[in-house]
Amino acid sequence: MKIKVLQFLLIGLVIFISSCEKDGTINPEVLTNNKVEYNGENLSINAAGFVDYNLRSFYGNAPTHKNVDFYTIDGTFITSKTGSLLDISGKSVVFAELNSPNLDMIETATYNYINDSKDSGLTDTELSAKYSGKYFFTNAYVISSSQSSSLLTFSQNIDVVSGTVKISGSKPNYLITYDLVLENGKTLKGNYAGIFQSL
């Protein structure tokens, strides 16, 4: 009898884990530390937010991707009365503008960096081959400061030149994981799990 009860419990656990993976919830086996390591220095993350810019076209005339900006910060978001992002007060920002081929939402996926600096010289067919069906970002950066009341306005961005950003979960509860190389040759790795404020 005990063996049958244990078998039912085990089957239930397997079904529960499988359903969590399918419905986009955060994988509990991923160790989250809510910090990133940049140039050997740990940068804490105490807040996160996103700006949904809705749809964007990377080729042709119709929308091709869902476009959402993600911010993880050590600081405070400064917003307007309507909640729109104006600036960030604090010590650090990690920013990534993610593009999903699913026009309804940013999906659980690994988003790869794509260099778009020469896109103006490409044909529409070449742009379609470059972006169609892909999860990617062309714009990401890091800001690290001792303390600033205007990180986005007055601090210097260190641009990302390669790497990945992984997203799991669903709005507004995400796990974001960074594995990035920056223009200065330094790396940034880490993650954050929690509620992302809509900005």
Side-chain angles (χ1 to χ4, degrees), residues 136-151:
F136 67 92
F137 60 98
T138 59
N139 183 21
Y141 59 77
V142 176
I143 299 172
S144 179
S145 172
S146 57
Q147 182 72 34
S148 172
S149 58
S150 304
L151 282 172

PDB file of all heavy atoms in Angstrom, residues 136-151:
ATOM      1  N   PHE A 136      16.090  37.820 -30.841  1.00  0.00           N
ATOM      2  CA  PHE A 136      17.363  38.533 -30.870  1.00  0.00           C
ATOM      3  C   PHE A 136      17.256  39.898 -30.196  1.00  0.00           C
ATOM      4  O   PHE A 136      16.179  40.377 -29.857  1.00  0.00           O
ATOM      5  CB  PHE A 136      17.821  38.710 -32.326  1.00  0.00           C
ATOM      6  CG  PHE A 136      16.947  39.633 -33.130  1.00  0.00           C
ATOM      7  CD1 PHE A 136      17.239  40.988 -33.228  1.00  0.00           C
ATOM      8  CD2 PHE A 136      15.823  39.157 -33.788  1.00  0.00           C
ATOM      9  CE1 PHE A 136      16.428  41.841 -33.946  1.00  0.00           C
ATOM     10  CE2 PHE A 136      15.008  40.001 -34.516  1.00  0.00           C
ATOM     11  CZ  PHE A 136      15.316  41.345 -34.598  1.00  0.00           C
ATOM     12  N   PHE A 137      18.425  40.511 -30.031  1.00  0.00           N
ATOM     13  CA  PHE A 137      18.505  41.914 -29.624  1.00  0.00           C
ATOM     14  C   PHE A 137      19.644  42.554 -30.391  1.00  0.00           C
ATOM     15  O   PHE A 137      20.649  41.913 -30.707  1.00  0.00           O
ATOM     16  CB  PHE A 137      18.707  42.065 -28.106  1.00  0.00           C
ATOM     17  CG  PHE A 137      19.952  41.441 -27.559  1.00  0.00           C
ATOM     18  CD1 PHE A 137      21.089  42.203 -27.329  1.00  0.00           C
ATOM     19  CD2 PHE A 137      19.998  40.083 -27.274  1.00  0.00           C
ATOM     20  CE1 PHE A 137      22.250  41.628 -26.815  1.00  0.00           C
ATOM     21  CE2 PHE A 137      21.150  39.503 -26.755  1.00  0.00           C
ATOM     22  CZ  PHE A 137      22.277  40.275 -26.520  1.00  0.00           C
ATOM     23  N   THR A 138      19.467  43.823 -30.763  1.00  0.00           N
ATOM     24  CA  THR A 138      20.512  44.578 -31.452  1.00  0.00           C
ATOM     25  C   THR A 138      21.046  45.690 -30.563  1.00  0.00           C
ATOM     26  O   THR A 138      22.041  46.316 -30.890  1.00  0.00           O
ATOM     27  CB  THR A 138      19.967  45.209 -32.755  1.00  0.00           C
ATOM     28  OG1 THR A 138      18.881  46.084 -32.424  1.00  0.00           O
ATOM     29  CG2 THR A 138      19.491  44.135 -33.730  1.00  0.00           C
ATOM     30  N   ASN A 139      20.360  45.923 -29.447  1.00  0.00           N
ATOM     31  CA  ASN A 139      20.717  47.030 -28.568  1.00  0.00           C
ATOM     32  C   ASN A 139      20.694  46.563 -27.119  1.00  0.00           C
ATOM     33  O   ASN A 139      19.653  46.121 -26.620  1.00  0.00           O
ATOM     34  CB  ASN A 139      19.734  48.186 -28.778  1.00  0.00           C
ATOM     35  CG  ASN A 139      20.074  49.408 -27.942  1.00  0.00           C
ATOM     36  OD1 ASN A 139      21.201  49.576 -27.503  1.00  0.00           O
ATOM     37  ND2 ASN A 139      19.086  50.263 -27.729  1.00  0.00           N
ATOM     38  N   ALA A 140      21.835  46.640 -26.467  1.00  0.00           N
ATOM     39  CA  ALA A 140      21.942  46.334 -25.036  1.00  0.00           C
ATOM     40  C   ALA A 140      23.155  47.080 -24.498  1.00  0.00           C
ATOM     41  O   ALA A 140      24.122  47.326 -25.230  1.00  0.00           O
ATOM     42  CB  ALA A 140      22.084  44.834 -24.808  1.00  0.00           C
ATOM     43  N   TYR A 141      23.101  47.441 -23.218  1.00  0.00           N
ATOM     44  CA  TYR A 141      24.230  48.151 -22.620  1.00  0.00           C
ATOM     45  C   TYR A 141      24.223  47.993 -21.105  1.00  0.00           C
ATOM     46  O   TYR A 141      23.241  47.534 -20.515  1.00  0.00           O
ATOM     47  CB  TYR A 141      24.236  49.628 -23.007  1.00  0.00           C
ATOM     48  CG  TYR A 141      23.004  50.404 -22.608  1.00  0.00           C
ATOM     49  CD1 TYR A 141      22.800  50.833 -21.289  1.00  0.00           C
ATOM     50  CD2 TYR A 141      22.045  50.744 -23.551  1.00  0.00           C
ATOM     51  CE1 TYR A 141      21.679  51.548 -20.923  1.00  0.00           C
ATOM     52  CE2 TYR A 141      20.913  51.472 -23.196  1.00  0.00           C
ATOM     53  CZ  TYR A 141      20.736  51.874 -21.884  1.00  0.00           C
ATOM     54  OH  TYR A 141      19.619  52.588 -21.525  1.00  0.00           O
ATOM     55  N   VAL A 142      25.346  48.410 -20.516  1.00  0.00           N
ATOM     56  CA  VAL A 142      25.523  48.413 -19.066  1.00  0.00           C
ATOM     57  C   VAL A 142      25.937  49.823 -18.650  1.00  0.00           C
ATOM     58  O   VAL A 142      26.694  50.496 -19.358  1.00  0.00           O
ATOM     59  CB  VAL A 142      26.618  47.411 -18.639  1.00  0.00           C
ATOM     60  CG1 VAL A 142      26.879  47.487 -17.139  1.00  0.00           C
ATOM     61  CG2 VAL A 142      26.226  46.002 -19.032  1.00  0.00           C
ATOM     62  N   ILE A 143      25.432  50.274 -17.511  1.00  0.00           N
ATOM     63  CA  ILE A 143      25.903  51.506 -16.883  1.00  0.00           C
ATOM     64  C   ILE A 143      26.319  51.153 -15.466  1.00  0.00           C
ATOM     65  O   ILE A 143      25.553  50.532 -14.733  1.00  0.00           O
ATOM     66  CB  ILE A 143      24.808  52.588 -16.828  1.00  0.00           C
ATOM     67  CG1 ILE A 143      24.334  52.970 -18.228  1.00  0.00           C
ATOM     68  CG2 ILE A 143      25.316  53.822 -16.086  1.00  0.00           C
ATOM     69  CD1 ILE A 143      23.122  53.893 -18.236  1.00  0.00           C
ATOM     70  N   SER A 144      27.546  51.488 -15.108  1.00  0.00           N
ATOM     71  CA  SER A 144      28.024  51.263 -13.748  1.00  0.00           C
ATOM     72  C   SER A 144      28.574  52.571 -13.211  1.00  0.00           C
ATOM     73  O   SER A 144      29.464  53.181 -13.816  1.00  0.00           O
ATOM     74  CB  SER A 144      29.108  50.183 -13.727  1.00  0.00           C
ATOM     75  OG  SER A 144      29.581  49.976 -12.423  1.00  0.00           O
ATOM     76  N   SER A 145      28.048  53.023 -12.077  1.00  0.00           N
ATOM     77  CA  SER A 145      28.410  54.314 -11.516  1.00  0.00           C
ATOM     78  C   SER A 145      28.493  54.198 -10.002  1.00  0.00           C
ATOM     79  O   SER A 145      27.897  53.302  -9.405  1.00  0.00           O
ATOM     80  CB  SER A 145      27.354  55.355 -11.909  1.00  0.00           C
ATOM     81  OG  SER A 145      27.566  56.569 -11.248  1.00  0.00           O
ATOM     82  N   SER A 146      29.212  55.097  -9.362  1.00  0.00           N
ATOM     83  CA  SER A 146      29.245  55.091  -7.898  1.00  0.00           C
ATOM     84  C   SER A 146      27.868  55.453  -7.353  1.00  0.00           C
ATOM     85  O   SER A 146      27.390  54.875  -6.396  1.00  0.00           O
ATOM     86  CB  SER A 146      30.305  56.053  -7.373  1.00  0.00           C
ATOM     87  OG  SER A 146      30.068  57.353  -7.868  1.00  0.00           O
ATOM     88  N   GLN A 147      27.216  56.428  -7.959  1.00  0.00           N
ATOM     89  CA  GLN A 147      25.843  56.838  -7.608  1.00  0.00           C
ATOM     90  C   GLN A 147      25.488  58.010  -8.509  1.00  0.00           C
ATOM     91  O   GLN A 147      26.270  58.938  -8.676  1.00  0.00           O
ATOM     92  CB  GLN A 147      25.727  57.261  -6.142  1.00  0.00           C
ATOM     93  CG  GLN A 147      24.322  57.658  -5.709  1.00  0.00           C
ATOM     94  CD  GLN A 147      23.369  56.473  -5.583  1.00  0.00           C
ATOM     95  OE1 GLN A 147      23.770  55.388  -5.201  1.00  0.00           O
ATOM     96  NE2 GLN A 147      22.114  56.686  -5.911  1.00  0.00           N
ATOM     97  N   SER A 148      24.318  57.952  -9.107  1.00  0.00           N
ATOM     98  CA  SER A 148      23.880  59.051  -9.958  1.00  0.00           C
ATOM     99  C   SER A 148      22.372  59.189  -9.854  1.00  0.00           C
ATOM    100  O   SER A 148      21.653  58.199  -9.790  1.00  0.00           O
ATOM    101  CB  SER A 148      24.276  58.812 -11.418  1.00  0.00           C
ATOM    102  OG  SER A 148      23.692  59.786 -12.264  1.00  0.00           O
ATOM    103  N   SER A 149      21.907  60.429  -9.858  1.00  0.00           N
ATOM    104  CA  SER A 149      20.463  60.661  -9.841  1.00  0.00           C
ATOM    105  C   SER A 149      19.889  60.611 -11.255  1.00  0.00           C
ATOM    106  O   SER A 149      18.680  60.673 -11.433  1.00  0.00           O
ATOM    107  CB  SER A 149      20.163  62.013  -9.195  1.00  0.00           C
ATOM    108  OG  SER A 149      20.828  63.041  -9.906  1.00  0.00           O
ATOM    109  N   SER A 150      20.761  60.498 -12.271  1.00  0.00           N
ATOM    110  CA  SER A 150      20.316  60.492 -13.671  1.00  0.00           C
ATOM    111  C   SER A 150      21.180  59.532 -14.484  1.00  0.00           C
ATOM    112  O   SER A 150      21.939  59.942 -15.357  1.00  0.00           O
ATOM    113  CB  SER A 150      20.397  61.897 -14.275  1.00  0.00           C
ATOM    114  OG  SER A 150      19.662  62.816 -13.523  1.00  0.00           O
ATOM    115  N   LEU A 151      21.066  58.247 -14.204  1.00  0.00           N
ATOM    116  CA  LEU A 151      21.911  57.265 -14.886  1.00  0.00           C
ATOM    117  C   LEU A 151      21.686  57.249 -16.398  1.00  0.00           C
ATOM    118  O   LEU A 151      22.634  57.141 -17.174  1.00  0.00           O
ATOM    119  CB  LEU A 151      21.650  55.866 -14.314  1.00  0.00           C
ATOM    120  CG  LEU A 151      22.294  55.541 -12.965  1.00  0.00           C
ATOM    121  CD1 LEU A 151      21.783  54.208 -12.435  1.00  0.00           C
ATOM    122  CD2 LEU A 151      23.811  55.520 -13.068  1.00  0.00           C
TER     123      LEU A 151
END
